[in-house]
Structure formats: C-alpha cells, structure tokens
Amino acid sequence: MVGGNPKHDAYGFRYWSTPMVEYIHTGDLGRFQGFIASLTKFCFLIAGPEYVSQIAGETINPRKVLPSAYKQVAIRLTIFFVGGALGVGICCYYNDPLLVEAINGGAPGAGASAYTVAMKNLGINVLPHIVNVLLVTSSFSAGNSYTYCSSRALYGMALEGKAFKIFAYCNKDGVPIFAILVSLCWGCLAYLQLGKQASVVLDWIVNLVTASQLINFMVILTTFLFFRKAYDVQVGDRSKLPFKGWGQPYVSYYAFFMTFCMVWVQGYTVFLPGNWSVESFLFSYLMIFIDIGLYIFWKVYKRTSFVKPEDADITTGLAEVEAHERYLAAIEATTPKKKHRWWEKIGYLLFST
C-alpha cells in the first residue's frame, strides 16, 4: 500500500475511485443491484456465529462461558469481516482483468481470490501458493465445525422424536456416529464441480446455503422473541438472566424483517429477463418451500398446538443447572487465579471461545 512490495508500487487507495459499482443495469438501479449482490454474499459469509450456542450442551459452565463468547463474536466479526472487506478493496480493483478472467473461467482454489490477483499484480509469486495451503486448512476447519453442528442438530432432533431414532445412537465414546455419517454426506456436493464450471457450482451452493442460513436466523429470532415473551409473563425480572442483548426486542424485530426480505431477494436475478434457470431457482428458493412443508406436515401429523407464553416450559432442568453452577463456583473460589499478560489477553480475545 505504501510501496513495500517487489514493484515498489505505493498504490494507496487507488482502487477506491469508484465508490459504488454498477451491476446488471446502469445508473442508480445498477448501483443498488450491486449493493444487493454484495449483501447477498455477506449473508452467506456471516454463517457461523450462532453455532456457538450449540456447544452449550458440552460446556462445563455454559451460562458463564457463552456470554463471553457471544461478546467476542462481535469483535471478531468486525476485525476479520470488515477488516477483510477493507483490505481486499484496497488491494484489488473490482474489474481487474485477471480477477474477471479467473471468475469467468471458474479458477479452482484461491485462483479467483482478489487477494491472489493482487499478489500476482505486485509480483509476489510465492504468496498465492501459501494462500492455497491456508485455504485447505480453513476448509478443513470449517468442515469440522459444520459437521459437528449439523450432526448435533440431527442428534437433538432424534432425541425429540423429530428424526429417525437411529440418529440418536452413540458409540461407547458418546459420539453420534450415524448422525455424523449423514452430515458428512453433504460434502459430496463438491463433486458437482465435475460436471459444471467451478464458479457455477459454487454459485449454486452459495445460494442454497444462503437461503438455509437466512431461514435459520429467522427461526432463531422467532424462538428468542417467544422465549422473551414467556419469560416476561412467568418471571419478569430480567436481571437474573446471565446475558442480555442491547436494544431488545426492537433489534430482533429489525433483524427478522431484514432477514425475511433477504430470503426472497437473494435469488431475484433468476427472474430478470433472460436469466431464468431451473437450477438457480431451486438452489435459491427450494429450502423455503421445504421448510414450510416440513412445518405444516409436523403440525398436521403430530397435531401439535401453539403454546401460550404462560404455559411455556422454561424452567425444566434449571434447578440442576444452578446447583452445578454453585458447585463450580465453590471450586473456583478455592483455586488461585492465574494472571495473564497483555498479549495473552489479546490472543484470548481473538482466538479463544
């Protein structure tokens, strides 16, 4: 940025000459569509923070540990996502010929990465190979995370009778082996690249995951709002809660509205003249109809009814949890506290949960 590269090119903010890029159309409409396209990609990339809650059942003291983890998520997202977007905008222009060629040609691995293109433009030939290695490790880490979360979700559904009982089976080490095997099968979607360009397949998977993720957030928000209502009716005193979000419930209402809009907007390009594609439509909107169908089927088949706030069970197991917390507090009170150095605190803030 200031000339410390092999070409000694102090490019600074050279690529910020176009504040809002046009997409599909020109003028204000094109710039708005460019914003929507970026927002859709962001909806795909933001997946993950809510997975922190899934480790609650396997955490020693979740009501103490998880609030700290939730707070760190906001800091990490700001640093890595916002910082990454800022960095890529500084390093590479949006219509760089190498970038456009890599995307249109379905370049594998990190070949279509703006960072890789920036490295090539600056003559740093070894860094793209390092990025590919890091991409493999990142994919492995993400695969572990998603396999864990999906298998535990399937395992929990089986325990509640909402999935086949076989998925509730655990081996002698307590691992839901069949739930994990089914979760791993989704990795076979990667073989779609053998029949189409990698970029096309990636777009399909991105659309599918984006729709699923947005629906997931809507369900989380709905669950929280109903829990809050039940808590207000039955308890009322929120000071006893281990974690309280800012601006609630209005922030949740806003998030639900925006998420609902993005569920329908994220695949809108398929309806534009000349863009119709059955594959794109299915990968963008199929999950919506599947989820609605499953919800209706369960309501009709099980004849379940809506639970009133005053009848919702929000206290089962609470006495055991509080007793466990008192036991842990007694142990902590007799254990000497370790003092952490400033760099250890920064590392804990960035990388620890």
Side-chain angles (χ1 to χ4, degrees), residues 275-291:
N275 283 0
W276 173 254
S277 168
V278 175
E279 294 90 347
S280 298
F281 174 79
L282 291 178
F283 276 96
S284 296
Y285 295 105
L286 182 62
M287 288 305 302
I288 299 176
F289 302 107
I290 289 178
D291 287 348

Side-chain angles (χ1 to χ4, degrees), residues 132-197:
N132 264 321
V133 174
L134 295 177
L135 184 62
V136 172
T137 59
S138 176
S139 300
F140 182 77
S141 175
N144 282 337
S145 175
Y146 296 144
T147 300
Y148 171 84
C149 294
S150 59
S151 62
R152 293 312 187 271
L154 187 57
Y155 171 73
M157 292 175 62
L159 290 179
E160 295 179 351
K162 297 177 181 177
F164 296 114
K165 292 183 179 179
I166 190 173
F167 296 128
Y169 170 80
C170 295
N171 61 15
K172 62 180 181 180
D173 297 319
V175 178
I177 185 67
F178 293 113
I180 290 178
L181 290 175
V182 171
S183 300
L184 288 173
C185 289
W186 289 100
C188 295
L189 287 173
Y191 292 110
L192 289 172
Q193 294 191 79
L194 299 177
K196 292 278 187 177
Q197 286 184 330

Side-chain angles (χ1 to χ4, degrees), residues 84-292:
L86 177 65
V88 75
I90 292 174
C91 294
C92 185
Y93 201 47
Y94 77 95
N95 63 351
D96 186 286
L98 289 178
L99 180 62
V100 174
E101 181 183 357
I103 294 175
N104 293 337
S113 168
Y115 288 111
T116 302
V117 172
M119 295 167 189
K120 291 180 179 179
N121 289 338
L122 295 174
I124 312 175
N125 297 322
V126 68
L127 282 183
H129 302 291
I130 297 177
V131 170
N132 264 321
V133 174
L134 295 177
L135 184 62
V136 172
T137 59
S138 176
S139 300
F140 182 77
S141 175
N144 282 337
S145 175
Y146 296 144
T147 300
Y148 171 84
C149 294
S150 59
S151 62
R152 293 312 187 271
L154 187 57
Y155 171 73
M157 292 175 62
L159 290 179
E160 295 179 351
K162 297 177 181 177
F164 296 114
K165 292 183 179 179
I166 190 173
F167 296 128
Y169 170 80
C170 295
N171 61 15
K172 62 180 181 180
D173 297 319
V175 178
I177 185 67
F178 293 113
I180 290 178
L181 290 175
V182 171
S183 300
L184 288 173
C185 289
W186 289 100
C188 295
L189 287 173
Y191 292 110
L192 289 172
Q193 294 191 79
L194 299 177
K196 292 278 187 177
Q197 286 184 330
S199 60
V200 176
V201 176
L202 179 61
D203 285 340
W204 288 352
I205 296 177
V206 166
N207 291 339
L208 179 65
V209 174
T210 300
S212 302
Q213 186 62 32
L214 290 170
I215 294 172
N216 187 31
F217 275 120
M218 290 177 61
V219 173
I220 292 173
L221 291 166
T222 303
T223 302
F224 166 74
L225 290 171
F226 276 87
F227 166 79
R228 179 187 172 91
K229 180 64 176 179
Y231 188 89
D232 288 344
V233 171
Q234 298 184 29
V235 183
D237 184 10
R238 299 197 194 103
S239 62
K240 299 179 181 179
L241 293 173
F243 179 79
K244 295 177 286 294
W246 294 345
Q248 298 296 348
Y250 307 106
V251 173
S252 293
Y253 289 138
Y254 170 77
F256 184 90
F257 173 75
M258 294 302 297
T259 306
F260 177 81
C261 292
M262 287 306 302
V263 165
W264 298 100
V265 169
Q266 50 95 18
Y268 81 97
T269 55
V270 74
F271 299 108
L272 296 178
N275 283 0
W276 173 254
S277 168
V278 175
E279 294 90 347
S280 298
F281 174 79
L282 291 178
F283 276 96
S284 296
Y285 295 105
L286 182 62
M287 288 305 302
I288 299 176
F289 302 107
I290 289 178
D291 287 348
I292 293 175

Side-chain angles (χ1 to χ4, degrees), residues 4-15:
N5 51 74
K7 293 186 177 181
H8 305 292
D9 181 13
Y11 52 88
F13 290 91
R14 177 191 305 163
Y15 303 123

